Amino acid sequence: MDETKGITSDNLKFYEGTVEFIKWVMGGMGAGVVVLLGFNSYRIYISKKEIDDRIDNFRDETIEKAKEILDIKVEKEKENISRAVEEKIKNFNSTLDNKIENIYNENNQNLLFIEINTILNIKPNNQEKLKSLYSLLEDNKYKNNQYIIKYNLANIYEMEKEYDKAIENYKIALSLKHDFEKVKVELANCYLKIKDYNSLVKECFSVIEINPEGNEVENLFEKYSKNKKS
């Protein structure tokens, strides 16, 4: 019995040692796993932090880029608005200048009519009238209305039967105002009087282009027919 008791005691010690060894091994493996898991968790944490940092950097870069693009667009829009305002002011000034010039010309034209009527009614003869009308041509304020003066000069030369000078002044008046119907009619009348019938017909058609419904051309053709028969 004592021997058996010794064997059992030894076996128990061996078993207990074995258990302790297994615990020690298992404890070591568990610590290794914990370390490994901890290391992997740390790597995951670091990776997440890198991703978060990259996202933050990307967000910051995107915001900065967006700001730059917005600033560029704002500057361009400012430039566009500035140009538009300048253009509006320029157009307004141009329109205003044109209106002022038109008013100025209209006032000068009215004044010119008064002066011409005064000359035609007061001067005793055509030579004096011609002299006074030529002096008006030298007045700078009538530079835009010289066709009116030329027309009246031509009228007086026509009355004086100086048809070449009349035609010359009528043509100058037309060069200054192309659609001056009355001048074309008088010019055609001069051609009729000097029997330049080709120029007469040409001028009559020119009058018709301006005023198809006028009866001035009809009167000229009637005179033309009478002259041809006589």
Side-chain angles (χ1 to χ4, degrees):
M1 290 293 293
D2 292 334
E3 292 176 359
T4 304
K5 185 177 179 181
I7 294 170
T8 303
S9 176
D10 290 337
N11 289 340
L12 181 61
K13 289 180 181 179
F14 175 77
Y15 172 76
E16 289 176 349
T18 302
V19 170
E20 290 298 323
F21 176 75
I22 291 171
K23 286 184 178 179
W24 178 79
V25 170
M26 290 299 292
M29 289 179 64
V33 171
V34 170
V35 170
L36 182 60
L37 290 174
F39 178 72
N40 286 335
S41 298
Y42 176 74
R43 286 182 61 191
I44 292 170
Y45 169 77
I46 293 299
S47 298
K48 183 177 181 303
K49 188 173 184 307
E50 287 178 357
I51 292 171
D52 289 341
D53 289 342
R54 288 183 183 181
I55 291 173
D56 289 340
N57 291 337
F58 179 74
R59 182 174 60 248
D60 293 342
E61 290 174 2
T62 302
I63 292 172
E64 288 300 319
K65 192 66 177 177
K67 285 182 179 178
E68 289 178 11
I69 293 171
L70 183 60
D71 288 343
I72 292 171
K73 286 186 176 181
V74 168
E75 288 302 318
K76 285 184 177 179
E77 198 60 33
K78 283 182 180 178
E79 291 176 5
N80 292 336
I81 292 172
S82 179
R83 278 197 297 269
V85 170
E86 288 177 3
E87 192 66 25
K88 287 283 185 183
I89 293 172
K90 183 180 177 181
N91 291 337
F92 175 79
N93 289 337
S94 177
T95 302
L96 183 61
D97 289 342
N98 289 335
K99 286 184 177 180
I100 292 172
E101 186 176 358
N102 289 337
I103 293 170
Y104 177 77
N105 288 334
E106 185 178 347
N107 289 337
N108 284 343
Q109 190 177 89
N110 292 333
L111 181 60
L112 178 60
F113 284 136
I114 293 171
E115 288 211 47
I116 289 175
N117 285 330
T118 302
I119 290 170
L120 296 178
N121 291 318
I122 292 179
K123 296 298 178 179
N125 56 63
N126 285 337
Q127 293 305 316
E128 289 293 325
K129 292 174 183 178
L130 287 170
K131 183 179 178 181
S132 296
L133 287 172
Y134 274 114
S135 67
L136 292 179
L137 288 173
E138 298 174 3
D139 194 330
N140 191 54
K141 68 174 173 285
Y142 298 137
K143 66 180 181 179
N144 294 327
N145 297 297
Q146 289 196 355
Y147 68 95
I148 298 171
I149 303 171
K150 285 293 184 179
Y151 168 75
N152 283 276
L153 283 169
N155 264 315
I156 294 174
Y157 280 125
E158 188 177 354
M159 285 187 286
E160 290 289 310
K161 296 184 179 180
E162 297 185 47
Y163 297 118
D164 289 341
K165 290 183 179 180
I167 290 170
E168 178 186 353
N169 281 279
Y170 282 137
K171 284 183 175 181
I172 294 173
L174 280 175
S175 70
L176 298 172
K177 188 171 176 62
H178 303 289
D179 59 346
F180 200 165
E181 180 186 356
K182 200 169 184 180
V183 173
K184 288 180 176 291
V185 171
E186 293 298 332
L187 182 57
N189 196 48
C190 283
Y191 289 136
L192 177 65
K193 288 176 180 177
I194 64 173
K195 298 183 179 180
D196 184 353
Y197 298 128
N198 288 333
S199 297
L200 165 65
V201 172
K202 181 181 177 181
E203 210 59 52
C204 283
F205 279 113
S206 179
V207 173
I208 293 172
E209 288 179 1
I210 296 175
N211 184 13
E213 298 179 359
N215 58 2
E216 296 288 351
V217 172
E218 185 178 350
N219 294 334
L220 284 169
F221 277 126
E222 285 180 5
K223 292 178 183 179
Y224 167 68
S225 297
K226 288 178 182 179
N227 282 6
K228 290 287 284 184
K229 290 177 183 178
S230 60

